Amino acid sequence: NGQWAVVWGGDTALESAKYEIDTVAPKFGIPNPAIYLRDGSYRSVSVVNDKNEALQALQKARKRRPDAYMVDLTTWCPASSQQNGYTQCGR
C-alpha cells in the first residue's frame, strides 16, 4: 500500500516539463501528470493510487519514453513541498 508513480520524463527547464504534462500526457493517455523536481531535474510523473494503476500507466508512458519506470513515492520522494507549478523533493 502507498502511493505509486511512473516517471517518464526529465528536463532541465520547467517549461519543457510543463509541455510534457500539458500536451504529451493527454495525447498518450497518461493519467494524473505532475512535475517533481528531484536531483536538479524536472521529472514528468504520473501519480496513481496503487501498483496495478502504475503498471497500466507505465505501459502508456513507455509509448512515449521506453525508459519510463515505476517508483514508490514514499521512498523516491520521501519529503516533498509544493512549489509554484511543481513538487520539490527533499531528503
Side-chain angles (χ1 to χ4, degrees), residues 35-64:
I35 300 171
Y36 280 74
L37 178 61
R38 184 173 189 267
D39 297 333
S41 178
Y42 293 97
R43 310 292 175 95
S44 303
V45 176
S46 172
V47 181
V48 295
N49 293 320
D50 62 45
K51 198 170 186 175
N52 284 335
E53 280 183 77
L55 288 168
Q56 292 173 8
L58 181 62
Q59 288 179 327
K60 293 174 182 177
R62 284 194 170 155
K63 291 177 183 170
R64 166 72 173 162

PDB file of all heavy atoms in Angstrom, residues 35-64:
ATOM      1  N   ILE A  35       4.636  17.407 -12.065  1.00  0.00           N
ATOM      2  CA  ILE A  35       6.073  17.678 -12.173  1.00  0.00           C
ATOM      3  C   ILE A  35       6.699  17.596 -10.782  1.00  0.00           C
ATOM      4  O   ILE A  35       6.193  18.207  -9.838  1.00  0.00           O
ATOM      5  CB  ILE A  35       6.340  19.062 -12.778  1.00  0.00           C
ATOM      6  CG1 ILE A  35       5.742  19.163 -14.182  1.00  0.00           C
ATOM      7  CG2 ILE A  35       7.847  19.355 -12.813  1.00  0.00           C
ATOM      8  CD1 ILE A  35       5.767  20.559 -14.769  1.00  0.00           C
ATOM      9  N   TYR A  36       7.766  16.852 -10.681  1.00  0.00           N
ATOM     10  CA  TYR A  36       8.541  16.745  -9.437  1.00  0.00           C
ATOM     11  C   TYR A  36       9.968  17.185  -9.737  1.00  0.00           C
ATOM     12  O   TYR A  36      10.564  16.715 -10.704  1.00  0.00           O
ATOM     13  CB  TYR A  36       8.560  15.296  -8.937  1.00  0.00           C
ATOM     14  CG  TYR A  36       7.304  14.896  -8.195  1.00  0.00           C
ATOM     15  CD1 TYR A  36       6.122  14.670  -8.875  1.00  0.00           C
ATOM     16  CD2 TYR A  36       7.304  14.743  -6.816  1.00  0.00           C
ATOM     17  CE1 TYR A  36       4.967  14.304  -8.216  1.00  0.00           C
ATOM     18  CE2 TYR A  36       6.154  14.367  -6.143  1.00  0.00           C
ATOM     19  CZ  TYR A  36       4.992  14.157  -6.839  1.00  0.00           C
ATOM     20  OH  TYR A  36       3.850  13.792  -6.161  1.00  0.00           O
ATOM     21  N   LEU A  37      10.497  18.074  -8.912  1.00  0.00           N
ATOM     22  CA  LEU A  37      11.897  18.475  -9.037  1.00  0.00           C
ATOM     23  C   LEU A  37      12.711  17.587  -8.110  1.00  0.00           C
ATOM     24  O   LEU A  37      12.540  17.601  -6.897  1.00  0.00           O
ATOM     25  CB  LEU A  37      12.079  19.948  -8.665  1.00  0.00           C
ATOM     26  CG  LEU A  37      13.519  20.468  -8.723  1.00  0.00           C
ATOM     27  CD1 LEU A  37      14.096  20.357 -10.128  1.00  0.00           C
ATOM     28  CD2 LEU A  37      13.586  21.908  -8.237  1.00  0.00           C
ATOM     29  N   ARG A  38      13.573  16.772  -8.719  1.00  0.00           N
ATOM     30  CA  ARG A  38      14.390  15.825  -7.946  1.00  0.00           C
ATOM     31  C   ARG A  38      15.784  15.801  -8.544  1.00  0.00           C
ATOM     32  O   ARG A  38      15.945  15.620  -9.748  1.00  0.00           O
ATOM     33  CB  ARG A  38      13.755  14.435  -8.001  1.00  0.00           C
ATOM     34  CG  ARG A  38      14.469  13.399  -7.157  1.00  0.00           C
ATOM     35  CD  ARG A  38      13.653  12.099  -7.164  1.00  0.00           C
ATOM     36  NE  ARG A  38      14.177  11.152  -6.209  1.00  0.00           N
ATOM     37  CZ  ARG A  38      15.068  10.203  -6.504  1.00  0.00           C
ATOM     38  NH1 ARG A  38      15.539  10.092  -7.727  1.00  0.00           N
ATOM     39  NH2 ARG A  38      15.497   9.374  -5.588  1.00  0.00           N
ATOM     40  N   ASP A  39      16.775  15.968  -7.697  1.00  0.00           N
ATOM     41  CA  ASP A  39      18.184  15.926  -8.121  1.00  0.00           C
ATOM     42  C   ASP A  39      18.457  16.881  -9.284  1.00  0.00           C
ATOM     43  O   ASP A  39      19.162  16.537 -10.231  1.00  0.00           O
ATOM     44  CB  ASP A  39      18.603  14.501  -8.495  1.00  0.00           C
ATOM     45  CG  ASP A  39      18.525  13.532  -7.321  1.00  0.00           C
ATOM     46  OD1 ASP A  39      18.661  13.996  -6.165  1.00  0.00           O
ATOM     47  OD2 ASP A  39      18.329  12.336  -7.553  1.00  0.00           O
ATOM     48  N   GLY A  40      17.847  18.064  -9.241  1.00  0.00           N
ATOM     49  CA  GLY A  40      18.099  19.083 -10.241  1.00  0.00           C
ATOM     50  C   GLY A  40      17.399  18.884 -11.574  1.00  0.00           C
ATOM     51  O   GLY A  40      17.671  19.592 -12.535  1.00  0.00           O
ATOM     52  N   SER A  41      16.489  17.917 -11.649  1.00  0.00           N
ATOM     53  CA  SER A  41      15.777  17.631 -12.893  1.00  0.00           C
ATOM     54  C   SER A  41      14.274  17.695 -12.654  1.00  0.00           C
ATOM     55  O   SER A  41      13.774  17.165 -11.657  1.00  0.00           O
ATOM     56  CB  SER A  41      16.164  16.229 -13.380  1.00  0.00           C
ATOM     57  OG  SER A  41      15.454  15.891 -14.553  1.00  0.00           O
ATOM     58  N   TYR A  42      13.568  18.358 -13.577  1.00  0.00           N
ATOM     59  CA  TYR A  42      12.109  18.407 -13.510  1.00  0.00           C
ATOM     60  C   TYR A  42      11.569  17.127 -14.134  1.00  0.00           C
ATOM     61  O   TYR A  42      11.651  16.932 -15.342  1.00  0.00           O
ATOM     62  CB  TYR A  42      11.576  19.643 -14.242  1.00  0.00           C
ATOM     63  CG  TYR A  42      11.946  20.926 -13.572  1.00  0.00           C
ATOM     64  CD1 TYR A  42      13.050  21.668 -13.994  1.00  0.00           C
ATOM     65  CD2 TYR A  42      11.209  21.393 -12.491  1.00  0.00           C
ATOM     66  CE1 TYR A  42      13.399  22.852 -13.365  1.00  0.00           C
ATOM     67  CE2 TYR A  42      11.551  22.585 -11.857  1.00  0.00           C
ATOM     68  CZ  TYR A  42      12.641  23.302 -12.301  1.00  0.00           C
ATOM     69  OH  TYR A  42      12.990  24.475 -11.670  1.00  0.00           O
ATOM     70  N   ARG A  43      11.051  16.250 -13.293  1.00  0.00           N
ATOM     71  CA  ARG A  43      10.598  14.937 -13.745  1.00  0.00           C
ATOM     72  C   ARG A  43       9.111  14.967 -14.064  1.00  0.00           C
ATOM     73  O   ARG A  43       8.324  15.479 -13.277  1.00  0.00           O
ATOM     74  CB  ARG A  43      10.848  13.876 -12.672  1.00  0.00           C
ATOM     75  CG  ARG A  43      12.249  13.856 -12.089  1.00  0.00           C
ATOM     76  CD  ARG A  43      13.289  13.401 -13.109  1.00  0.00           C
ATOM     77  NE  ARG A  43      14.622  13.505 -12.577  1.00  0.00           N
ATOM     78  CZ  ARG A  43      15.283  12.506 -11.989  1.00  0.00           C
ATOM     79  NH1 ARG A  43      14.724  11.334 -11.877  1.00  0.00           N
ATOM     80  NH2 ARG A  43      16.500  12.698 -11.535  1.00  0.00           N
ATOM     81  N   SER A  44       8.752  14.418 -15.215  1.00  0.00           N
ATOM     82  CA  SER A  44       7.346  14.230 -15.572  1.00  0.00           C
ATOM     83  C   SER A  44       6.903  12.916 -14.944  1.00  0.00           C
ATOM     84  O   SER A  44       7.496  11.863 -15.208  1.00  0.00           O
ATOM     85  CB  SER A  44       7.181  14.168 -17.086  1.00  0.00           C
ATOM     86  OG  SER A  44       7.700  15.342 -17.671  1.00  0.00           O
ATOM     87  N   VAL A  45       5.870  13.006 -14.102  1.00  0.00           N
ATOM     88  CA  VAL A  45       5.479  11.877 -13.271  1.00  0.00           C
ATOM     89  C   VAL A  45       3.970  11.669 -13.354  1.00  0.00           C
ATOM     90  O   VAL A  45       3.210  12.632 -13.361  1.00  0.00           O
ATOM     91  CB  VAL A  45       5.891  12.147 -11.799  1.00  0.00           C
ATOM     92  CG1 VAL A  45       5.431  11.045 -10.878  1.00  0.00           C
ATOM     93  CG2 VAL A  45       7.398  12.334 -11.684  1.00  0.00           C
ATOM     94  N   SER A  46       3.543  10.423 -13.405  1.00  0.00           N
ATOM     95  CA  SER A  46       2.132  10.063 -13.312  1.00  0.00           C
ATOM     96  C   SER A  46       1.911   9.475 -11.931  1.00  0.00           C
ATOM     97  O   SER A  46       2.475   8.431 -11.600  1.00  0.00           O
ATOM     98  CB  SER A  46       1.784   9.037 -14.393  1.00  0.00           C
ATOM     99  OG  SER A  46       0.481   8.547 -14.214  1.00  0.00           O
ATOM    100  N   VAL A  47       1.107  10.148 -11.114  1.00  0.00           N
ATOM    101  CA  VAL A  47       0.880   9.724  -9.729  1.00  0.00           C
ATOM    102  C   VAL A  47      -0.442   8.956  -9.653  1.00  0.00           C
ATOM    103  O   VAL A  47      -1.484   9.475 -10.050  1.00  0.00           O
ATOM    104  CB  VAL A  47       0.851  10.940  -8.782  1.00  0.00           C
ATOM    105  CG1 VAL A  47       0.629  10.494  -7.348  1.00  0.00           C
ATOM    106  CG2 VAL A  47       2.136  11.739  -8.910  1.00  0.00           C
ATOM    107  N   VAL A  48      -0.388   7.734  -9.144  1.00  0.00           N
ATOM    108  CA  VAL A  48      -1.578   6.882  -9.047  1.00  0.00           C
ATOM    109  C   VAL A  48      -1.676   6.268  -7.650  1.00  0.00           C
ATOM    110  O   VAL A  48      -0.757   6.384  -6.847  1.00  0.00           O
ATOM    111  CB  VAL A  48      -1.567   5.782 -10.133  1.00  0.00           C
ATOM    112  CG1 VAL A  48      -1.676   6.382 -11.521  1.00  0.00           C
ATOM    113  CG2 VAL A  48      -0.325   4.925 -10.044  1.00  0.00           C
ATOM    114  N   ASN A  49      -2.793   5.587  -7.399  1.00  0.00           N
ATOM    115  CA  ASN A  49      -3.067   5.092  -6.051  1.00  0.00           C
ATOM    116  C   ASN A  49      -2.493   3.727  -5.720  1.00  0.00           C
ATOM    117  O   ASN A  49      -2.205   3.445  -4.577  1.00  0.00           O
ATOM    118  CB  ASN A  49      -4.578   5.061  -5.800  1.00  0.00           C
ATOM    119  CG  ASN A  49      -5.162   6.448  -5.762  1.00  0.00           C
ATOM    120  OD1 ASN A  49      -4.569   7.363  -5.219  1.00  0.00           O
ATOM    121  ND2 ASN A  49      -6.329   6.613  -6.365  1.00  0.00           N
ATOM    122  N   ASP A  50      -2.362   2.874  -6.735  1.00  0.00           N
ATOM    123  CA  ASP A  50      -1.869   1.530  -6.424  1.00  0.00           C
ATOM    124  C   ASP A  50      -0.975   0.991  -7.536  1.00  0.00           C
ATOM    125  O   ASP A  50      -0.870   1.585  -8.604  1.00  0.00           O
ATOM    126  CB  ASP A  50      -3.027   0.572  -6.112  1.00  0.00           C
ATOM    127  CG  ASP A  50      -3.968   0.374  -7.279  1.00  0.00           C
ATOM    128  OD1 ASP A  50      -3.494   0.177  -8.414  1.00  0.00           O
ATOM    129  OD2 ASP A  50      -5.196   0.418  -7.066  1.00  0.00           O
ATOM    130  N   LYS A  51      -0.382  -0.134  -7.239  1.00  0.00           N
ATOM    131  CA  LYS A  51       0.606  -0.712  -8.151  1.00  0.00           C
ATOM    132  C   LYS A  51      -0.014  -1.126  -9.483  1.00  0.00           C
ATOM    133  O   LYS A  51       0.605  -0.979 -10.533  1.00  0.00           O
ATOM    134  CB  LYS A  51       1.285  -1.900  -7.470  1.00  0.00           C
ATOM    135  CG  LYS A  51       2.584  -2.304  -8.105  1.00  0.00           C
ATOM    136  CD  LYS A  51       3.316  -3.317  -7.261  1.00  0.00           C
ATOM    137  CE  LYS A  51       4.690  -3.606  -7.827  1.00  0.00           C
ATOM    138  NZ  LYS A  51       5.457  -4.497  -6.966  1.00  0.00           N
ATOM    139  N   ASN A  52      -1.239  -1.635  -9.464  1.00  0.00           N
ATOM    140  CA  ASN A  52      -1.889  -2.034 -10.718  1.00  0.00           C
ATOM    141  C   ASN A  52      -2.109  -0.830 -11.625  1.00  0.00           C
ATOM    142  O   ASN A  52      -1.886  -0.912 -12.835  1.00  0.00           O
ATOM    143  CB  ASN A  52      -3.221  -2.745 -10.444  1.00  0.00           C
ATOM    144  CG  ASN A  52      -3.009  -4.161  -9.955  1.00  0.00           C
ATOM    145  OD1 ASN A  52      -1.987  -4.783 -10.240  1.00  0.00           O
ATOM    146  ND2 ASN A  52      -3.966  -4.679  -9.205  1.00  0.00           N
ATOM    147  N   GLU A  53      -2.555   0.297 -11.058  1.00  0.00           N
ATOM    148  CA  GLU A  53      -2.718   1.522 -11.842  1.00  0.00           C
ATOM    149  C   GLU A  53      -1.370   1.977 -12.400  1.00  0.00           C
ATOM    150  O   GLU A  53      -1.283   2.458 -13.523  1.00  0.00           O
ATOM    151  CB  GLU A  53      -3.304   2.644 -10.986  1.00  0.00           C
ATOM    152  CG  GLU A  53      -4.791   2.574 -10.786  1.00  0.00           C
ATOM    153  CD  GLU A  53      -5.286   3.769  -9.995  1.00  0.00           C
ATOM    154  OE1 GLU A  53      -5.391   4.865 -10.578  1.00  0.00           O
ATOM    155  OE2 GLU A  53      -5.546   3.603  -8.795  1.00  0.00           O
ATOM    156  N   ALA A  54      -0.329   1.826 -11.590  1.00  0.00           N
ATOM    157  CA  ALA A  54       1.014   2.216 -12.022  1.00  0.00           C
ATOM    158  C   ALA A  54       1.467   1.371 -13.207  1.00  0.00           C
ATOM    159  O   ALA A  54       2.065   1.884 -14.148  1.00  0.00           O
ATOM    160  CB  ALA A  54       2.000   2.115 -10.867  1.00  0.00           C
ATOM    161  N   LEU A  55       1.171   0.086 -13.159  1.00  0.00           N
ATOM    162  CA  LEU A  55       1.546  -0.795 -14.274  1.00  0.00           C
ATOM    163  C   LEU A  55       0.833  -0.381 -15.560  1.00  0.00           C
ATOM    164  O   LEU A  55       1.431  -0.392 -16.635  1.00  0.00           O
ATOM    165  CB  LEU A  55       1.237  -2.254 -13.925  1.00  0.00           C
ATOM    166  CG  LEU A  55       2.164  -2.895 -12.894  1.00  0.00           C
ATOM    167  CD1 LEU A  55       1.593  -4.222 -12.399  1.00  0.00           C
ATOM    168  CD2 LEU A  55       3.552  -3.096 -13.468  1.00  0.00           C
ATOM    169  N   GLN A  56      -0.441   0.004 -15.450  1.00  0.00           N
ATOM    170  CA  GLN A  56      -1.183   0.463 -16.625  1.00  0.00           C
ATOM    171  C   GLN A  56      -0.617   1.772 -17.151  1.00  0.00           C
ATOM    172  O   GLN A  56      -0.454   1.955 -18.361  1.00  0.00           O
ATOM    173  CB  GLN A  56      -2.665   0.626 -16.275  1.00  0.00           C
ATOM    174  CG  GLN A  56      -3.363  -0.687 -16.000  1.00  0.00           C
ATOM    175  CD  GLN A  56      -4.785  -0.499 -15.486  1.00  0.00           C
ATOM    176  OE1 GLN A  56      -5.314   0.606 -15.462  1.00  0.00           O
ATOM    177  NE2 GLN A  56      -5.393  -1.595 -15.065  1.00  0.00           N
ATOM    178  N   ALA A  57      -0.304   2.695 -16.240  1.00  0.00           N
ATOM    179  CA  ALA A  57       0.273   3.984 -16.639  1.00  0.00           C
ATOM    180  C   ALA A  57       1.655   3.775 -17.265  1.00  0.00           C
ATOM    181  O   ALA A  57       2.023   4.471 -18.217  1.00  0.00           O
ATOM    182  CB  ALA A  57       0.364   4.917 -15.437  1.00  0.00           C
ATOM    183  N   LEU A  58       2.403   2.815 -16.749  1.00  0.00           N
ATOM    184  CA  LEU A  58       3.742   2.527 -17.271  1.00  0.00           C
ATOM    185  C   LEU A  58       3.665   2.095 -18.740  1.00  0.00           C
ATOM    186  O   LEU A  58       4.479   2.536 -19.558  1.00  0.00           O
ATOM    187  CB  LEU A  58       4.416   1.454 -16.425  1.00  0.00           C
ATOM    188  CG  LEU A  58       5.831   1.059 -16.837  1.00  0.00           C
ATOM    189  CD1 LEU A  58       6.777   2.250 -16.723  1.00  0.00           C
ATOM    190  CD2 LEU A  58       6.328  -0.094 -15.967  1.00  0.00           C
ATOM    191  N   GLN A  59       2.695   1.262 -19.069  1.00  0.00           N
ATOM    192  CA  GLN A  59       2.539   0.825 -20.470  1.00  0.00           C
ATOM    193  C   GLN A  59       2.298   2.021 -21.380  1.00  0.00           C
ATOM    194  O   GLN A  59       2.860   2.114 -22.466  1.00  0.00           O
ATOM    195  CB  GLN A  59       1.390  -0.166 -20.591  1.00  0.00           C
ATOM    196  CG  GLN A  59       1.696  -1.513 -19.994  1.00  0.00           C
ATOM    197  CD  GLN A  59       0.513  -2.462 -20.109  1.00  0.00           C
ATOM    198  OE1 GLN A  59      -0.640  -2.052 -20.058  1.00  0.00           O
ATOM    199  NE2 GLN A  59       0.806  -3.736 -20.260  1.00  0.00           N
ATOM    200  N   LYS A  60       1.469   2.960 -20.950  1.00  0.00           N
ATOM    201  CA  LYS A  60       1.178   4.157 -21.747  1.00  0.00           C
ATOM    202  C   LYS A  60       2.406   5.052 -21.853  1.00  0.00           C
ATOM    203  O   LYS A  60       2.728   5.574 -22.918  1.00  0.00           O
ATOM    204  CB  LYS A  60       0.008   4.923 -21.138  1.00  0.00           C
ATOM    205  CG  LYS A  60      -1.291   4.155 -21.231  1.00  0.00           C
ATOM    206  CD  LYS A  60      -2.404   4.863 -20.499  1.00  0.00           C
ATOM    207  CE  LYS A  60      -3.680   4.027 -20.581  1.00  0.00           C
ATOM    208  NZ  LYS A  60      -4.768   4.619 -19.836  1.00  0.00           N
ATOM    209  N   ALA A  61       3.092   5.236 -20.725  1.00  0.00           N
ATOM    210  CA  ALA A  61       4.265   6.110 -20.699  1.00  0.00           C
ATOM    211  C   ALA A  61       5.388   5.564 -21.573  1.00  0.00           C
ATOM    212  O   ALA A  61       6.120   6.338 -22.197  1.00  0.00           O
ATOM    213  CB  ALA A  61       4.747   6.294 -19.258  1.00  0.00           C
ATOM    214  N   ARG A  62       5.508   4.251 -21.639  1.00  0.00           N
ATOM    215  CA  ARG A  62       6.582   3.651 -22.451  1.00  0.00           C
ATOM    216  C   ARG A  62       6.360   3.830 -23.945  1.00  0.00           C
ATOM    217  O   ARG A  62       7.295   3.668 -24.723  1.00  0.00           O
ATOM    218  CB  ARG A  62       6.771   2.182 -22.078  1.00  0.00           C
ATOM    219  CG  ARG A  62       7.508   2.053 -20.761  1.00  0.00           C
ATOM    220  CD  ARG A  62       8.017   0.676 -20.521  1.00  0.00           C
ATOM    221  NE  ARG A  62       8.914   0.668 -19.363  1.00  0.00           N
ATOM    222  CZ  ARG A  62       9.138  -0.400 -18.620  1.00  0.00           C
ATOM    223  NH1 ARG A  62       8.550  -1.534 -18.898  1.00  0.00           N
ATOM    224  NH2 ARG A  62       9.973  -0.316 -17.593  1.00  0.00           N
ATOM    225  N   LYS A  63       5.138   4.178 -24.346  1.00  0.00           N
ATOM    226  CA  LYS A  63       4.909   4.507 -25.753  1.00  0.00           C
ATOM    227  C   LYS A  63       5.569   5.836 -26.093  1.00  0.00           C
ATOM    228  O   LYS A  63       5.942   6.076 -27.233  1.00  0.00           O
ATOM    229  CB  LYS A  63       3.408   4.554 -26.049  1.00  0.00           C
ATOM    230  CG  LYS A  63       2.764   3.190 -25.995  1.00  0.00           C
ATOM    231  CD  LYS A  63       1.280   3.262 -26.211  1.00  0.00           C
ATOM    232  CE  LYS A  63       0.667   1.881 -26.071  1.00  0.00           C
ATOM    233  NZ  LYS A  63      -0.795   1.947 -26.042  1.00  0.00           N
ATOM    234  N   ARG A  64       5.723   6.692 -25.092  1.00  0.00           N
ATOM    235  CA  ARG A  64       6.406   7.981 -25.254  1.00  0.00           C
ATOM    236  C   ARG A  64       7.898   7.832 -24.984  1.00  0.00           C
ATOM    237  O   ARG A  64       8.737   8.332 -25.723  1.00  0.00           O
ATOM    238  CB  ARG A  64       5.776   8.998 -24.309  1.00  0.00           C
ATOM    239  CG  ARG A  64       6.551  10.277 -24.106  1.00  0.00           C
ATOM    240  CD  ARG A  64       6.508  11.155 -25.324  1.00  0.00           C
ATOM    241  NE  ARG A  64       7.124  12.460 -25.041  1.00  0.00           N
ATOM    242  CZ  ARG A  64       7.527  13.279 -25.961  1.00  0.00           C
ATOM    243  NH1 ARG A  64       7.382  12.985 -27.225  1.00  0.00           N
ATOM    244  NH2 ARG A  64       8.075  14.426 -25.643  1.00  0.00           N
TER     245      ARG A  64
END
